[in-house]
Amino acid sequence: MAAPLVRPRHDRKIAGVCAGLARRFGTTPTTMRVLFVVSCLLPGPQFLLYIALWILLPAEDTYREAW
């Protein structure tokens, strides 16, 4: 079973979005961060998507309390 999509409390650099995505998809946080930076070089709403995920994804502590 895949890990839930939450922002972890540890291993954050800014908001924990890349670390949460990496945990969910089974890769390293560094790989996810590099992919995000490279994707920002392409046209598109990547930065806005990051901010939206920052707002919408629950923090790991909040997620555990809810379950």
Side-chain angles (χ1 to χ4, degrees), residues 2-22:
L5 188 54
V6 295
R7 294 181 298 117
R9 184 172 187 206
H10 303 290
D11 201 23
R12 290 182 175 186
K13 293 297 179 192
I14 297 176
V17 173
C18 289
L21 289 172

Side-chain angles (χ1 to χ4, degrees), residues 24-67:
R24 173 68 171 91
F25 294 112
T27 185
T28 64
T30 303
T31 303
M32 195 60 68
R33 291 177 188 122
V34 169
L35 287 173
F36 173 71
V37 170
V38 170
S39 75
C40 284
L41 299 175
L42 302 170
Q46 293 87 343
F47 189 70
L48 294 176
L49 180 64
Y50 185 91
I51 292 173
L53 287 174
W54 187 351
I55 294 168
L56 295 175
L57 288 181
E60 189 174 42
D61 298 339
T62 307
Y63 180 79
R64 286 187 180 169
E65 290 172 6
W67 293 96

